[in-house]
Every structure is written in structure tokens, then in C-alpha cells.
């Protein structure tokens, strides 16, 4: 009997209201999610590893300007793109993370190279970019990352002295600014191996040097064959303080909660208590998939070998 | 009845052999540990907060050139000092972390400012240094951080193309290079509040941009009034992958282990299984203190209001 396999992806969470997306734009997003999902699922079908599927799905989302990662990453307060990404292999608990990198076409691929080809786990800034060049990864000019919508968003935010939610057309300069927008994937392959990855451009008009949870193993990304694989999206600061991704795993391992129970506990209770808006995607060692979020919406999709399939944006 | 209070500190772990330290040098280390311990303990005695005690003790260790943090930080492969620090308040689970900063006299103070005076948790590089200037923190020249022993260590390591353990006089350029050296403190104050902090200069001859666990909330530092406060020192990459600091807390909260049992499980079993050399200091909400390590030695000291006191280096 063939082992069950499956994949889930997200394209960020936030105040995504049905009224703020046209039917046409909604279709664009869903098509992009489907394309990313299939790029990973097809690999799994052909006996590919969970790690390969996660990387392929995230690359697809990074290459799509609709999402705040890779091409289409938001502008920071200096009008530059500083990107973060991390990946973890549930089979051997190895991990790679990069932060604050510029001009690397696919940050998730660099995170994987750091994991597999260096003695480091976490490398930031120019040091990480130097690794990208040493590994001959594809680099891209500032123009490549430029997206007109993101640029207008940044100009408005910059003028208002505030920040914008990635998926909020209205923006805000309220003191309780929200920090969303990420892409991510989790997968289980036919061998029962789990993997998780996350990639982001951070928050529009963010201070240079600010890292969210996407670069932090345990907070934004975690995978362990004994429990689950997790990729988060939400208010990064609160996700770091709550060690969200590892917390799901710990609740399953130590408190014997199911994946659904652990997700509910963390996303709907613990995060809500501290106003930690956002969500996550999760797959456990049995192939169960959960896509919980406490925000208005989360771009998400999943497909598993038992026939379950879903692509959705709103609650 | 007055609430129990206490503090524990560490000055790094590693291959510290009795034969490698002269009696004179050993006394220097112990005196420095005692001074740092008392700077924190005295504050606790005078009704100071756990957070103040942790910051004071770590500042004392940062200002001492014997330890790899602040003054006396090791040189990276470019002959510069890149420092990391993090702090967490167990009362409200707020946290601050800085990475890859240069010329900031006390990185732990910057981490605290990030926690208390910005909406961010984690800021790296020049962005973090800009915050230090904005907060008018004391800056210091490269000369201030210069230490002759560290410089000789770097020159030798650089020539050999390898890296050095912070507390190993022999050095290594073996492929399985070890990454030690950190200072840290954990405390409980008279109000039962817990706090933890960690600060480091990283690894001699490290690649620019490399972050270890000291900057990562959940990995190197964690505090939660419901469970414990933890500061780690050891092979940073393995501590990140193992989410060490939060793991102790999770084992206590979810599996109902005692502090001693949780420390044993993580430091003596889980870390040993993956050859994750190092140790940690821990205090729980009852004021119990543990100082476990699986390396040859760990510079450590503790003092609690019930009269227990210790300062030691070797096993």
C-alpha cells in the first residue's frame, strides 16, 4: 500500500474582505495558489521529497508578484526589498534560514542551500547574499522585484508615516500597525517525511533590519517527522514571542493533542489572547492537514492523495 | 512572608579543562562571575525587577574582556565584532533581540530598548545600530572591543582557515567546528516575575551575517512566569534546531516535568543525541535553579535568597 502524501500552501493572512477583491482579482489569486500547489503536489506524486515539494511550491509563490515574497516583495522604509525565508527538514531536524537579503531571486532556495551546504543554520544580510553568489544562485536586479502596486502602497504609506497590511488595500498608520504577508508550504511525501518552509518580504515601510517570524526556526517554520510541519503567517513579533510553530509540535508531542486540537489551542486561543492576528498551515505525520487562521482571511490551498482538495481566501 | 528570589548567570560553555587554566586565570574568571552575580543579586535584594537584575548582570559580563560578549567579543572572518543579544520578560512574554551589531557598548541594553520602546522584537545590523543611536545608548569604537588574546586567537584561526572555541586555548580547524561562548542571566524577583537574557560575540572567524541561538527567542532565551526562565550557551545551530529554551518551558507546562527533569531531558538526552554540545541556566517560578551542561565545563554562578550559592567552572 502506498503511503499517503499531501501538501498545503499559504499566501499570507490579513484583513482580506470579500468587498476588497474583484472577482477578476480573486481568480488571479486562486489560479496562482493552484499553480503553486500543483508544482509541489506533482513532485510528491512522482516520488519527490517533501523538501523538494515545499521548495517548488514556495518558488512558484515567490515568482508571482501577487504575493509578498520574492518578486512582488514590499518596500521597506528606504524603498528597498529585504527578504527573509526559512526551511526545515522533519526527517533529521536540519534547518536553514536567511534574513534581510536583497537581490536573491528565490530566498527559499538560499535557505535550503544554507541548510544543506553550510555548517550554519541562520545567516543574514550581505553575508547571506555572498553565499547566494558562491552557490551560483540566480540573482535579480531591484527592477525585477519592482511591482507597481507595492510601490504605490509604499509611497502612500511612506507619506502617511505608517505601514500597510500586505493584503489590505486601505492601509493604516495606526500605532497598532499589523505585520502580515508571507508565503509558505508544508508537505508530507510518500516516505512519510515532513518539511516546512516560509518566505516573506516583510511589512511595507518597515525599518531596515527588522526580522519577523518567517526567518525564525520554531516561530514561523518548524518540521519534525514525529509530530508535524508548520508554516506561519501573521503579526511576526507576536509569533516570535509565542514560538508558534514549535508550540504546535510540543502540544502534540508532550500533551498528546491532535493536530486540529493543537492548532485550535495556539491560533484560536493563545494567539487571540495576545491579539496575535494571523494563521498557519499544518500537516501531521498521518497526513492530516489544518489551515487555521484568526484574521479575516488567509490565501490558502491544500491537496492530499486521499482526494481532499481546497483553495480559499475568506473565512 | 517575603517571596523567594534568585539569580543565575553563565559565561559560556566549552572544552574548559582544569589543565588549560592557571590558578591565577581561574581566580580572574571566578571574581568576574561573582561581580556580575552580585550586581544582579543586589538589585533583587533592593526590590529590583528580574529584568533589571538580568540586564545588570549581563552588562557586567559584557564589560569584562574575559567573556565573549561586548568588550572581548571575538573577531569574525573580516576582523570585526558582530554581536547578538536577546532578552525576555516572563511577566508579559514581551521580548527584544538584536543581531549582527557593531559598536554598541552593551548589546543587552539595546535588546531591552527594542523590547520596551519599539513595536519590533528582532532587529539586525545597521538598522539595530540606528536604534541604538536614536535611544542615545553608549557607542564604542572598534578599539574598545579589541582584546589582545582574542586578536591572537583570530589571527591563528584565520591563518589556519578554521574557527576556535571561545574557551579552548587549542583551537580547531576541524570540519565539525564548535560554536560556543556567550554570557547570560536568568532571575526571579520578589514579585515572582521571571526574566532571561543572553549576549554573545559569536564564534571566532565566523562568516559575517551568521546568527547563533543567542539572538533567537525560543532557542537561546525564553522566559515565562508560568514556567521558567532560560539562557543557553552552546553549539548555536543545534540549539536553534532544537528550540532549546522554549522546549524546557514546554516540557514543564505540557508534560508536567520539574525544572530539573526538563533540563536533564533536553541538555543530557535530546541535545546529546544530536551532538549539541553546551548548557544552560534555568530558574523556575518556585525559585529552583538548575545549571546543566554536557560539555567539559561551563562558567557559571548562582545565588538565591534561601542561602544557596555557587560559582564553578568545571564539571
Amino acid at each position: 500500500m502506498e503511503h499517503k502524501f499531501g501538501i498545503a500552501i499559504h499566501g499570507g493572512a490579513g484583513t482580506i474582505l470579500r468587498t476588497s477583491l474583484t472577482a477578476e482579482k480573486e481568480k488571479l489569486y486562486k489560479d496562482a495558489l493552484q499553480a503553486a500547489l500543483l508544482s509541489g503536489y506533482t513532485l510528491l506524486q512522482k516520488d519527490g521529497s517533501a523538501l523538494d515539494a515545499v521548495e517548488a511550491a514556495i518558488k512558484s509563490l515567490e515568482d508571482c508578484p501577487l504575493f509578498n515574497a520574492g518578486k512582488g516583495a514590499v518596500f521597506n522604509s528606504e524603498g528597498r526589498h529585504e527578504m527573509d525565508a526559512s526551511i526545515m527538514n522533519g526527517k533529521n531536524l536540519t534547518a536553514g534560514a536567511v534574513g534581510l537579503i536583497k537581490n536573491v531571486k528565490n530566498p527559499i532556495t538560499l535557505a535550503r542551500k544554507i541548510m544543506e551546504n553550510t555548517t550554519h543554520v541562520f545567516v543574514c544580510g550581505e553575508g547571506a547574499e555572498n553565499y547566494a553568489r558562491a552557490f551560483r544562485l540566480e540573482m535579480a536586479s531591484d527592477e525585477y522585484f519592482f511591482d507597481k502596486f507595492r510601490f504605490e502602497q509604499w509611497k502612500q504609506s511612506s507619506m502617511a508615516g505608517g505601514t500597510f497590511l500586505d493584503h489590505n488595500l486601505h492601509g493604516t498608520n495606526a500605532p497598532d500597525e499589523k505585520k502580515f504577508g508571507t508565503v509558505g508550504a508544508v508537505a508530507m511525501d510518500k516516505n512519510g517525511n515532513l518539511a516546512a518552509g516560509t518566505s516573506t518580504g516583510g511589512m511595507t515601510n518597515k525599518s531596515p533590519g527588522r526580522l519577523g517570524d518567517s526567518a525564525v526556526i520554531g516561530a514561523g517554520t518548524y518540521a519534525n517527522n514525529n509530530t508535524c510541519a508548520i508554516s506561519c503567517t501573521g503579526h511576526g513579533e507576536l509569533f516570535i514571542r509565542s514560538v508558534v510553530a514549535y508550540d504546535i509540535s510540543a502540544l502534540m508531542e508532550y500533551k498528546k493533542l491532535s493536530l486540529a486540537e493543537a492548532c485550535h489551542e495556539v491560533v484560536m486561543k493563545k494567539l487571540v489572547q495576545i491579539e496575535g492576528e494571523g494563521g498557519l498551515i499544518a500537516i501531521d505525520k498521518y497526513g492530516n492537514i489544518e489551515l487555521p487562521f484568526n484574521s479575516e482571511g488567509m490565501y490558502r490551498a491544500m491537496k492530499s492523495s486521499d482526494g481532499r482538495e481546497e483553495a480559499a481566501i475568506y473565512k
Side-chain angles (χ1 to χ4, degrees), chain A:
Chain A
M1 200 191 88
E2 204 169 57
H3 201 290
K4 191 176 166 182
F5 61 93
I7 182 168
I9 62 170
H10 70 76
T15 315
I16 314 164
L17 298 172
R18 225 172 272 273
T19 49
S20 66
L21 275 189
T22 60
E24 195 183 32
K25 190 119 192 188
E26 190 178 317
K27 188 176 179 310
L28 281 178
Y29 274 106
K30 284 200 175 166
D31 288 351
L33 287 171
Q34 279 293 354
L37 189 73
L38 283 179
S39 72
Y41 189 82
T42 311
L43 282 176
L44 294 174
Q45 250 177 336
K46 293 188 288 190
D47 304 334
S49 72
L51 214 50
D52 285 339
V54 160
E55 185 187 354
I58 293 177
K59 275 179 80 165
S60 174
L61 294 165
E62 284 177 340
D63 292 345
C64 172
L66 291 171
F67 302 102
N68 175 19
K71 186 172 176 64
V74 299
F75 291 81
N76 72 9
S77 64
E78 294 180 336
R80 297 294 304 274
H81 307 283
E82 282 191 334
M83 299 171 289
D84 314 323
S86 62
I87 195 164
M88 189 158 181
N89 185 350
K91 187 179 177 180
N92 54 13
L93 303 187
T94 53
V98 293
L100 311 170
I101 57 169
K102 299 187 178 89
N103 303 113
V104 176
K105 183 167 177 263
N106 291 108
I108 195 67
T109 302
L110 179 55
R112 184 169 177 182
K113 285 281 183 190
I114 297 289
M115 170 172 78
E116 294 182 337
N117 297 93
T118 79
T119 57
H120 300 316
V121 165
F122 197 0
V123 188
C124 287
E126 282 176 40
E129 292 157 22
N130 291 341
Y131 273 116
R133 287 185 199 95
F135 292 131
R136 298 173 183 276
L137 299 191
E138 198 171 343
M139 305 300 285
S141 65
D142 285 358
E143 289 68 42
Y144 168 79
F145 294 97
F146 181 87
D147 178 77
K148 198 167 180 309
F149 170 70
R150 298 292 185 204
F151 185 68
E152 293 299 330
Q153 208 182 26
W154 171 64
K155 273 205 308 190
Q156 284 176 52
S157 171
S158 182
M159 276 161 56
T163 58
F164 272 73
L165 312 192
D166 293 333
H167 293 306
N168 181 344
L169 300 178
H170 308 294
T172 173
N173 59 355
D176 59 337
E177 58 195 29
K178 293 166 187 171
K179 294 129 193 124
F180 293 80
T182 317
V183 307
V186 296
M188 182 172 75
D189 61 32
K190 289 183 184 172
N191 294 313
N193 290 316
L194 299 178
T198 311
S199 179
T200 188
M203 159 179 66
T204 292
N205 210 30
K206 68 181 178 182
S207 308
R210 176 259 181 189
L211 281 171
D213 61 316
S214 304
V216 179
I217 296 299
T221 302
Y222 188 75
N224 186 333
N225 275 7
N226 291 327
T227 52
C228 59
I230 308 287
S231 169
C232 300
T233 170
H235 188 148
E237 277 71 12
L238 292 160
F239 278 59
I240 292 176
R241 288 164 49 192
S242 305
V243 201
V244 169
Y246 183 66
D247 202 25
I248 303 278
S249 174
L251 281 165
M252 294 178 70
E253 186 175 357
Y254 302 146
K255 216 176 170 180
K256 305 298 173 197
L257 297 196
S258 69
L259 182 71
E261 289 166 342
C263 285
H264 185 77
E265 178 69 22
V266 173
V267 179
M268 300 307 181
K269 289 187 183 171
K270 291 175 81 168
L271 278 172
V272 168
Q273 275 162 19
I274 58 169
E275 298 181 36
E277 218 176 321
L280 56 83
I281 53 173
I283 187 166
D284 71 11
K285 63 176 172 177
Y286 305 110
N288 297 310
I289 291 176
E290 295 288 331
L291 312 165
F293 58 98
N294 61 36
S295 48
E296 289 293 331
M298 180 169 83
Y299 294 100
R300 62 201 187 276
M302 60 77 66
K303 187 173 170 68
S304 72
S305 61
D306 60 8
R308 209 185 136 200
E309 195 168 348
E310 185 188 327
I313 300 176
Y314 316 108
K315 263 178 198 163

